[in-house]
Amino acid sequence: AKARGSVVLVDKMADANARMAAVDPRRRVDRSKYVDPEMPEFPGAVFINHIGCRTAQVGAGIGCLVLAPVAWMRSPKGTSLVRGVMPRVGGRMLVLGYLGGCAGAAGMAVYGKGKSPFDQDGIDDRAYRIVKNEKLQNAGNFMSAGAVTGVLLHGGPGGAAVGVTAGTLAMAWAYAAMPIIRTKYWPASKPALVSALKSAGVDVGSLTTGGTPPAKNK
């Protein structure tokens, strides 16, 4: 029984090592297995970075929008929320969120827990779907643009955290609020707005419900 238990333990360790090898950020993809040139060169890096970025985004949001206001209310009078407390608290949460997400991805690989199979084919497939998912890429663009802007304006992880949070809010506005406004509120408000613009002598020929100028007659 003791020998059998040792064999089981060795097998489990071998399986865990194989899963860790699959998510290894340094592992290059086997190009002979795929025809699409957009297949990521380092699938493990794409997979781990994706999880890290999402948890960093959540961490920055919690830090800037929840924890920072609480810390600011306890700070000395005159302390700036946006330029002082938000970068300090948000920066910590951004870094902890990213590191925690990456560690969580490695932990899932060790125990084989997750939506995708933790073998090379499973990680390759997950990485490919990440880079081909337009919504995920758009979310990443908002996050990256916000982070770069925050670093340029403030510097360091704190500036990145504030920028990431601003980018997340902008993404929510663009993909959640604007479609509702365009489909629900704009059609109801358009007649009154058009009437007011006409009364002011403004050309309203390009105003349509969808916001796109109508095709010109040839």
Side-chain angles (χ1 to χ4, degrees):
K2 191 173 182 179
R4 188 182 304 113
S6 299
V7 171
V8 171
L9 179 60
V10 170
D11 290 341
K12 287 184 177 181
M13 293 180 62
D15 291 341
N17 288 334
R19 291 190 294 266
M20 286 297 292
V23 300
D24 188 343
R26 301 166 297 179
R27 177 178 67 85
R28 289 182 179 273
V29 69
D30 183 359
R31 289 287 174 190
S32 65
K33 298 167 61 176
Y34 307 101
V35 296
D36 192 337
E38 293 189 23
M39 181 68 196
E41 183 69 19
F42 298 96
V46 171
F47 173 74
I48 291 180
N49 185 66
H50 165 70
I51 296 178
C53 285
R54 295 290 79 80
T55 51
Q57 187 177 20
V58 172
I62 293 175
C64 290
L65 301 179
V66 179
L67 301 181
V70 174
W72 175 68
M73 288 188 290
R74 298 176 177 175
S75 299
K77 186 177 180 180
T79 302
S80 172
L81 172 63
V82 176
R83 298 188 62 84
V85 183
M86 270 191 182
R88 185 178 73 250
V89 177
R92 292 173 184 171
M93 292 297 292
L94 176 80
V95 174
L96 289 174
Y98 185 83
L99 296 177
C102 293
M108 288 190 296
V110 170
Y111 291 101
K113 304 294 184 181
K115 294 181 178 179
S116 301
F118 280 92
D119 54 18
Q120 290 192 8
D121 290 340
I123 297 301
D124 289 355
D125 176 69
R126 180 64 176 142
Y128 181 75
R129 286 188 285 118
I130 288 171
V131 300
K132 300 294 285 188
N133 188 311
E134 185 177 354
K135 290 183 178 180
L136 285 179
Q137 296 307 310
N138 288 336
N141 291 338
F142 273 97
M143 180 178 172
S144 299
V148 171
T149 303
V151 169
L152 291 176
L153 294 177
H154 188 277
V162 175
V164 165
T165 303
T168 301
L169 295 176
M171 179 184 66
W173 170 262
Y175 290 101
M178 282 303 295
I180 295 176
I181 293 173
R182 289 169 63 92
T183 58
K184 184 177 181 180
Y185 296 106
W186 168 240
S189 305
K190 178 187 173 184
L193 177 60
V194 170
S195 177
L197 291 175
K198 283 183 177 180
S199 300
V202 177
D203 179 14
V204 295
S206 64
L207 292 178
T208 66
T209 302
T212 305
K216 295 182 179 180
N217 296 326
K218 295 183 180 180

